[in-house]
């Protein structure tokens, strides 16, 4: 098994194990992916990645973080996604959509304007989460039980649109301090009802959403979940790897096929905790203890490093974010570095023959 072995999940076969990690581009209007998204995602597919994962894509307008994020809550957005999906497929790559709700981490300005809270005049909204708490000077309100039911329907409707747009897989973004993470981490979740308290209660919203999505997508379509394996908060309330293993077991029992082990989202992670491959042990522990396919992400930048993670069985897929910004052709360059002969787009073949020789 190596980086360029094919990989199967349900009916999906990937030509290799290199994945474009979801990365917000803050370049959309009205949640519609545009030319930038086509070129950003399309060029990584041209660059040889086996799986492209879209940036976090809101399932409802109030699930956006900024007004420049993408969504899939209406037909116009769906139709624009379809153009991108079709292009990625023409490159013999597969594409998953990352479905998402920002919860309390919404209603923010563009990063170029400092990501401060939007005012109502600028289109801002009151942000809601599991609990009414104050975070970074912003008052979050708590979702009612009825609103939680609506959110689950929003995810299911988004999944239906994603299937109609031709996506090959769905990934739920349940990490990085966003809505699902806000529910499952006791640091944020102070609810007194069936969605708060015990770990079983705190993961209930995510598990129920998994079931809603599973019930509307084809049996053969893989369902992926990205979690924060730890939230890097060393208090008794902090989310731990043990908690992630328990969560992943439950996700697997409810039809999830794959877990990406990311981390953090509520605080800045201290520098000593971030080093090449720093989150690989999370993916390895979940894979071993839950017997579920996993993705490794975080400071994986080299072909030999990526290949070793797959070859040693620590993770099934290698999810590359920032290195893919530096090098859209990461997969093709990795194949060359590892001495593997892979297909290049036919339009580029002549140059590549010279390049390889
Ligand atoms: C510009 C940028 C935007 C990101 N947006 C997302 C996102 O939409 N969804 C997500 O799950 N992670 C997002 N991330 C996190 C990355 O997917 C990845 O987990 C992180 O950058 C660590 O991987 P790396 O060391 O390969 O960059 C983003 C990271 C960057 C740099």
């Amino acid at each position: 098994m190596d980086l360029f072995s094919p990989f199967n999940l349900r009916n999906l076969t990937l030509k290799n194990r290199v994945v474009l990690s979801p990365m917000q581009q803050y370049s959309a209007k009205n949640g519609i992916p545009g030319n930038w998204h086509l070129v950003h995602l399309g060029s990584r597919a041209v660059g040889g990645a086996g799986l492209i994962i879209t940036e976090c894509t809101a399932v409802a307008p109030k699930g956006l973080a900024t007004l420049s994020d993408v969504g899939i809550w209406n037909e116009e957005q769906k139709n624009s996604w379809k153009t991108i999906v079709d292009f990625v497929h023409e490159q013999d790559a597969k594409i998953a959509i990352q479905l998402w709700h920002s919860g309390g981490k919404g209603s923010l300005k563009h990063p170029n304007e400092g990501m401060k809270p939007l005012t109502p005049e600028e289109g801002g909204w009151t942000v809601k989460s599991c609990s009414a708490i104050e975070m970074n000077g912003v008052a979050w309100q708590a979702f009612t039980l009825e609103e939680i039911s609506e959110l689950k329907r929003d995810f299911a409707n988004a999944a239906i649109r994603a299937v109609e747009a031709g996506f090959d897989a769905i990934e739920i973004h349940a990490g990085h301090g966003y809505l699902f993470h806000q529910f499952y981490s006791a640091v944020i979740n102070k609810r007194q009802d069936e969605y708060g308290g015990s770990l079983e209660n705190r993961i209930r919203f995510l598990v129920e959403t998994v079931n809603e999505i599973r019930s509307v997508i084809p049996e053969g379509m893989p369902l992926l979940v990205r979690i924060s394996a730890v939230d890097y908060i060393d208090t008794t309330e902090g989310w731990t790897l043990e908690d992630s293993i328990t969560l992943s077991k439950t996700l697997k029992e409810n039809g999830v096929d794959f877990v990406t082990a990311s981390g953090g989202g509520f605080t800045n992670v201290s520098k000593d905790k971030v080093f090449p491959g720093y989150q690989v042990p999370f993916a390895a522990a979940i894979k071993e203890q839950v017997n579920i396919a996993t993705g490794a992400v975080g400071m994986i930048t080299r072909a030999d490093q990526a290949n070793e993670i797959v070859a040693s069985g620590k993770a099934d897929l290698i999810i590359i974010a920032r290195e893919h910004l530096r090098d859209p052709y990461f997969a093709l360059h990795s194949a060359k570095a590892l001495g593997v002969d892979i297909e290049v787009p036919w339009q580029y073949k002549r140059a590549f023959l010279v390049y390889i020789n």
Side-chain angles (χ1 to χ4, degrees):
M1 207 66 71
D2 60 43
L3 193 58
F4 289 94
S5 313
F7 179 65
N8 294 321
L9 271 181
R10 295 199 186 222
N11 287 354
L12 177 67
T13 301
L14 304 180
K15 63 184 172 185
N16 63 47
R17 314 291 182 109
V18 178
V19 179
L20 172 68
S21 198
M23 277 181 281
Q24 277 160 293
Q25 300 296 295
Y26 305 104
S27 302
K29 282 204 184 89
N30 301 322
I32 303 166
N35 292 342
W36 178 263
H37 302 88
L38 173 64
V39 174
H40 167 66
L41 299 170
S43 46
R44 278 70 195 173
V46 170
L51 178 66
I52 302 296
I53 308 183
T54 71
E55 68 191 82
C56 52
T57 303
V59 299
K62 289 183 181 172
L64 295 167
T66 75
L67 295 172
S68 307
D69 293 314
V70 290
I72 187 160
W73 66 81
N74 65 36
E75 292 297 293
E76 197 179 357
Q77 294 159 350
K78 177 185 95 180
N79 293 336
S80 290
W81 280 119
K82 189 172 183 313
T83 306
I84 295 171
V85 167
D86 290 347
F87 181 81
V88 169
H89 285 162
E90 284 165 22
Q91 311 316 313
D92 195 29
K94 305 293 181 186
I95 179 163
I97 187 165
Q98 189 184 55
L99 297 183
W100 162 76
H101 193 294
S102 58
K105 286 174 71 169
S107 190
L108 299 172
K109 293 189 193 197
H110 193 277
N112 294 346
E113 294 163 2
M115 288 198 102
K116 295 272 180 302
L118 287 166
T119 62
E121 297 73 43
E122 292 167 327
W125 60 96
T126 303
V127 291
K128 294 194 178 180
S129 178
C130 54
S131 311
I133 59 165
E134 192 174 309
M135 272 288 270
N136 304 324
V138 178
W140 296 5
Q141 289 187 5
F143 280 118
T144 63
L145 289 178
E146 200 177 311
E147 286 169 329
I148 290 176
S149 295
E150 274 169 32
L151 287 166
K152 287 185 279 180
R153 279 199 300 277
D154 288 340
F155 272 90
N157 288 335
I160 291 169
R161 287 204 171 87
V163 172
E164 289 169 355
F167 281 101
D168 302 291
I170 308 271
E171 175 168 271
I172 302 175
H173 193 352
H176 299 178
Y178 293 119
L179 186 61
F180 291 112
H181 189 186
Q182 291 157 22
F183 268 79
Y184 66 68
S185 175
V187 172
I188 305 292
N189 188 335
K190 307 294 174 198
R191 290 182 82 95
Q192 308 285 328
D193 59 10
E194 66 264 39
Y195 292 98
S198 65
L199 185 140
E200 191 191 349
N201 281 355
R202 284 181 280 119
I203 67 174
R204 187 183 306 281
F205 174 40
L206 174 56
V207 173
E208 288 178 350
T209 305
V210 161
N211 280 300
E212 293 259 352
I213 293 178
R214 256 278 153 243
S215 72
V216 297
I217 63 174
E219 175 73 26
M221 178 179 268
L223 182 54
L224 292 52
V225 177
R226 174 179 278 223
I227 61 170
S228 278
V230 299
D231 50 22
Y232 295 106
I233 295 175
D234 295 331
T235 67
T236 49
E237 291 180 324
W239 182 257
T240 65
L241 180 58
E242 279 313 303
D243 295 334
S244 287
I245 287 166
T246 306
L247 169 62
S248 301
K249 278 184 189 149
T250 308
L251 293 177
K252 184 183 172 188
E253 284 160 15
N254 286 273
V256 169
D257 306 294
F258 181 91
V259 171
T260 293
S262 191
F266 297 128
T267 55
N268 289 331
V269 183
S270 66
K271 283 206 176 114
D272 60 306
K273 297 210 166 97
V274 181
F275 45 85
Y278 65 108
Q279 294 179 138
V280 174
F282 304 148
I286 292 169
K287 184 171 164 60
E288 194 192 315
Q289 296 197 38
V290 182
N291 194 22
I292 189 168
T294 61
V297 69
M299 285 190 76
I300 303 169
T301 55
R302 297 190 329 266
D304 60 334
Q305 179 195 17
N307 199 49
E308 189 278 332
I309 295 165
V310 176
S312 60
K314 294 190 187 89
D316 299 277
L317 295 181
I318 304 300
I319 306 183
I320 309 276
R322 287 164 295 177
E323 192 59 24
H324 255 136
L325 299 184
R326 298 176 199 115
D327 180 8
Y329 292 85
F330 177 82
L332 292 175
H333 290 152
S334 295
K336 180 169 183 278
L338 297 169
V340 181
D341 200 9
I342 64 167
E343 278 294 307
V344 297
W346 66 263
Q347 294 91 337
Y348 288 178
K349 260 193 177 140
R350 282 175 63 177
F352 246 85
L353 286 174
V354 174
Y355 178 77
I356 286 167
N357 294 335

